[in-house]
Protein backbone atom coordinates (compact mmCIF):
# COMPACT_ATOMS: atom_id res chain seq x y z
CA UNK A 1 0.00 0.00 0.00
CA UNK A 2 1.27 3.38 -0.95
CA UNK A 3 1.39 6.19 1.48
CA UNK A 4 0.52 9.68 0.34
CA UNK A 5 3.38 12.10 0.47
CA UNK A 6 3.84 13.93 3.68
CA UNK A 7 3.14 17.39 2.18
CA UNK A 8 -0.28 16.19 0.98
CA UNK A 9 -1.19 14.93 4.44
CA UNK A 10 -0.08 18.13 6.11
CA UNK A 11 -2.03 20.23 3.61
CA UNK A 12 -5.16 18.14 4.16
CA UNK A 13 -4.85 18.44 7.93
CA UNK A 14 -4.34 22.20 7.68
CA UNK A 15 -7.42 22.58 5.48
CA UNK A 16 -9.51 20.54 7.92
CA UNK A 17 -8.22 22.61 10.85
CA UNK A 18 -9.03 25.83 8.94
CA UNK A 19 -12.58 24.64 8.29
CA UNK A 20 -12.98 23.59 11.92
CA UNK A 21 -11.54 26.91 13.13
CA UNK A 22 -13.86 28.91 10.86
CA UNK A 23 -16.88 26.96 12.16
CA UNK A 24 -15.84 27.55 15.77
CA UNK A 25 -15.24 31.25 15.14
CA UNK A 26 -18.69 31.53 13.54
CA UNK A 27 -20.35 29.88 16.55
CA UNK A 28 -18.46 32.05 19.02
CA UNK A 29 -19.26 35.27 17.17
CA UNK A 30 -22.88 34.23 16.73
CA UNK A 31 -23.20 33.53 20.48
CA UNK A 32 -21.95 37.05 21.32
CA UNK A 33 -24.72 38.73 19.29
CA UNK A 34 -28.07 39.30 20.95
CA UNK A 35 -30.68 36.96 19.60
CA UNK A 36 -33.09 38.42 17.11
CA UNK A 37 -36.58 38.54 18.38
CA UNK A 38 -39.50 37.78 16.20
CA UNK A 39 -42.07 40.50 16.63
CA UNK A 40 -45.64 39.59 15.84
CA UNK A 41 -47.80 42.52 14.87
CA UNK A 42 -51.48 41.76 15.01
CA UNK A 43 -53.79 43.86 12.88
CA UNK A 44 -55.83 46.33 14.82
CA UNK A 45 -59.28 47.36 13.73
CA UNK A 46 -59.40 50.81 12.26
CA UNK A 47 -61.31 53.32 14.32
CA UNK A 48 -64.86 53.82 13.12
CA UNK A 49 -65.31 56.72 10.74
CA UNK A 50 -66.97 59.82 12.06
CA UNK A 51 -70.43 60.85 10.88
CA UNK A 52 -71.97 64.23 11.55
CA UNK A 53 -75.75 64.54 11.98
CA UNK A 54 -78.20 67.32 12.75
CA UNK A 55 -80.79 66.51 15.42
CA UNK A 56 -83.87 68.70 15.77
CA UNK A 57 -87.36 68.70 17.19
CA UNK A 58 -88.43 67.20 20.51
CA UNK A 59 -84.94 66.63 21.93
CA UNK A 60 -83.04 68.17 24.84
CA UNK A 61 -80.66 70.32 22.75
CA UNK A 62 -81.04 70.66 19.00
CA UNK A 63 -77.74 70.77 17.17
CA UNK A 64 -75.03 69.13 15.13
CA UNK A 65 -73.44 66.03 16.66
CA UNK A 66 -70.47 63.82 15.77
CA UNK A 67 -71.06 60.09 16.07
CA UNK A 68 -69.30 56.93 14.94
CA UNK A 69 -70.21 55.16 11.73
CA UNK A 70 -72.61 52.39 12.63
CA UNK A 71 -74.28 54.30 15.47
CA UNK A 72 -78.06 54.39 15.52
CA UNK A 73 -80.65 57.16 15.68
CA UNK A 74 -81.13 56.43 19.39
CA UNK A 75 -77.43 57.30 19.91
CA UNK A 76 -77.89 60.63 18.10
CA UNK A 77 -80.93 61.44 20.22
CA UNK A 78 -79.02 60.59 23.41
CA UNK A 79 -76.20 62.89 22.28
CA UNK A 80 -78.83 65.63 21.87
CA UNK A 81 -79.98 65.22 25.46
CA UNK A 82 -82.67 62.61 24.90
CA UNK A 83 -86.34 62.91 24.01
CA UNK A 84 -88.51 65.57 25.56
CA UNK A 85 -91.82 64.66 27.20
CA UNK A 86 -93.81 65.80 24.15
CA UNK A 87 -91.81 63.70 21.65
CA UNK A 88 -93.78 61.39 19.36
CA UNK A 89 -91.31 58.50 19.49
CA UNK A 90 -93.55 56.26 17.38
CA UNK A 91 -92.73 58.37 14.31
CA UNK A 92 -88.97 57.93 14.60
CA UNK A 93 -87.15 54.69 13.88
CA UNK A 94 -84.74 54.68 16.81
CA UNK A 95 -83.03 51.52 15.55
CA UNK A 96 -82.00 52.80 12.11
CA UNK A 97 -78.32 53.55 11.51
CA UNK A 98 -77.20 57.14 11.08
CA UNK A 99 -75.42 58.38 7.99
CA UNK A 100 -73.17 61.36 7.44
CA UNK A 101 -75.02 64.66 6.88
CA UNK A 102 -78.34 63.14 8.02
CA UNK A 103 -81.07 65.33 9.52
CA UNK A 104 -82.91 63.52 12.30
CA UNK A 105 -86.11 65.29 13.26
CA UNK A 106 -88.10 64.06 16.25
CA UNK A 107 -91.66 65.34 15.84
CA UNK A 108 -93.72 66.49 18.78
CA UNK A 109 -97.05 64.79 19.45
CA UNK A 110 -99.57 66.12 16.92
CA UNK A 111 -96.92 67.88 14.83
CA UNK A 112 -97.62 67.67 11.11
CA UNK A 113 -94.45 67.55 9.05
CA UNK A 114 -94.43 69.54 5.79
CA UNK A 115 -94.12 66.40 3.65
CA UNK A 116 -96.61 64.39 5.70
CA UNK A 117 -99.99 64.55 4.00
CA UNK A 118 -101.46 61.08 4.44
CA UNK A 119 -102.70 59.86 7.78
CA UNK A 120 -105.11 57.21 9.00
CA UNK A 121 -106.54 56.68 12.47
CA UNK A 122 -103.20 55.48 13.89
CA UNK A 123 -101.31 58.26 12.16
CA UNK A 124 -99.58 55.75 9.88
CA UNK A 125 -100.55 54.32 6.49
CA UNK A 126 -100.81 50.51 6.61
CA UNK A 127 -98.99 49.17 3.55
CA UNK A 128 -101.14 46.04 3.58
CA UNK A 129 -104.52 47.82 3.47
CA UNK A 130 -103.92 51.30 1.99
CA UNK A 131 -105.78 52.26 -1.15
CA UNK A 132 -104.10 53.59 -4.27
CA UNK A 133 -105.21 57.10 -3.31
CA UNK A 134 -103.84 56.82 0.24
CA UNK A 135 -100.47 55.58 -1.05
CA UNK A 136 -100.29 58.44 -3.56
CA UNK A 137 -100.57 60.92 -0.69
CA UNK A 138 -97.21 59.73 0.65
CA UNK A 139 -94.24 61.96 -0.28
CA UNK A 140 -92.55 60.81 -3.48
CA UNK A 141 -95.20 58.18 -4.27
CA UNK A 142 -97.09 58.78 -7.48
CA UNK A 143 -99.58 56.56 -9.33
CA UNK A 144 -96.90 54.23 -10.75
CA UNK A 145 -95.18 53.55 -7.40
CA UNK A 146 -98.52 53.22 -5.59
CA UNK A 147 -99.54 50.59 -8.18
CA UNK A 148 -96.19 48.82 -7.75
CA UNK A 149 -96.68 48.71 -3.96
CA UNK A 150 -100.16 47.24 -4.34
CA UNK A 151 -98.94 44.74 -6.93
CA UNK A 152 -96.10 43.64 -4.62
CA UNK A 153 -98.40 43.09 -1.64
CA UNK A 154 -100.87 41.13 -3.78
CA UNK A 155 -98.23 38.86 -5.35
CA UNK A 156 -96.10 38.35 -2.23
CA UNK A 157 -98.87 37.91 0.32
CA UNK A 158 -98.35 41.32 1.91
CA UNK A 159 -95.66 43.22 3.73
CA UNK A 160 -94.18 41.60 6.83
CA UNK A 161 -92.12 44.66 7.75
CA UNK A 162 -91.70 48.20 6.43
CA UNK A 163 -88.25 47.34 5.06
CA UNK A 164 -89.95 44.99 2.55
CA UNK A 165 -90.61 48.16 0.54
CA UNK A 166 -87.07 47.67 -0.77
CA UNK A 167 -88.43 44.67 -2.71
CA UNK A 168 -90.72 46.96 -4.72
CA UNK A 169 -89.09 48.04 -7.99
CA UNK A 170 -87.82 51.65 -7.98
CA UNK A 171 -87.91 51.98 -4.18
CA UNK A 172 -84.47 52.39 -2.69
CA UNK A 173 -82.94 53.33 0.65
CA UNK A 174 -83.70 57.05 0.29
CA UNK A 175 -87.39 56.46 -0.41
CA UNK A 176 -87.59 53.92 2.41
CA UNK A 177 -86.04 56.42 4.83
CA UNK A 178 -88.58 59.06 3.79
CA UNK A 179 -91.54 56.66 4.14
CA UNK A 180 -90.48 54.75 7.28
CA UNK A 181 -91.97 57.22 9.80
CA UNK A 182 -95.21 57.44 7.81
CA UNK A 183 -96.10 53.81 7.16
CA UNK A 184 -96.69 50.59 9.07
CA UNK A 185 -97.59 46.97 8.42
CA UNK A 186 -100.60 45.62 10.23
Amino acid sequence: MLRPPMAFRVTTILILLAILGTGLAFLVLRADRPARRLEVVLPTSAPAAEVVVYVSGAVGVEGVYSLREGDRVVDAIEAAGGLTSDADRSRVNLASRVSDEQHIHVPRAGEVLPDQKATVSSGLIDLNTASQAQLEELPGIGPALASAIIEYRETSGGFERVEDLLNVPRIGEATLARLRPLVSVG
Side-chain angles (χ1 to χ4, degrees):
M1 190 158 157
L2 293 173
R3 291 184 160 203
M6 182 63 113
F8 178 75
R9 276 192 278 178
V10 170
T11 304
T12 305
I13 291 174
L14 287 176
I15 291 174
L16 288 173
L17 286 174
I19 291 172
L20 183 62
T22 303
L24 281 173
F26 177 77
L27 289 175
V28 168
L29 290 175
R30 186 89 170 128
D32 286 346
R33 266 199 246 163
R36 287 188 192 165
R37 295 184 184 199
L38 179 62
E39 185 176 334
V40 177
V41 178
L42 299 175
T44 58
S45 60
E50 180 183 76
V51 294
V52 178
V53 298
Y54 173 55
V55 184
S56 65
V59 294
V61 181
E62 291 184 345
V64 176
Y65 295 93
S66 296
L67 302 168
R68 293 182 317 255
E69 186 174 34
D71 280 353
R72 301 193 183 266
V73 169
V74 69
D75 300 317
I77 291 171
E78 285 177 20
L83 296 171
T84 60
S85 61
D86 62 340
D88 187 354
R89 71 179 59 227
S90 67
R91 292 173 48 200
V92 179
N93 183 354
L94 299 173
S96 66
R97 295 193 188 278
V98 297
S99 59
D100 195 37
E101 301 177 13
Q102 181 178 4
H103 176 192
I104 300 165
H105 181 76
V106 179
R108 290 176 170 75
E111 178 181 353
V112 176
L113 301 176
D115 63 350
Q116 182 182 354
K117 300 174 190 169
T119 58
V120 291
S121 61
S122 70
L124 301 176
I125 298 261
D126 186 334
L127 294 172
N128 287 320
T129 60
S131 68
Q132 172 97 14
Q134 287 174 316
L135 291 170
E136 288 179 24
E137 290 181 20
L138 291 167
I141 303 297
L145 271 180
S147 293
I149 291 170
I150 291 171
E151 181 180 337
Y152 174 81
R153 82 174 176 215
E154 290 173 354
T155 59
S156 69
F159 292 89
E160 292 182 20
R161 53 194 188 106
V162 173
E163 289 74 19
D164 289 343
L165 277 171
L166 292 174
N167 298 327
V168 176
R170 297 188 326 248
I171 292 185
E173 292 288 341
T175 302
L176 175 62
R178 189 171 54 247
L179 297 177
R180 184 177 275 130
L182 306 175
V183 297
S184 67
V185 292

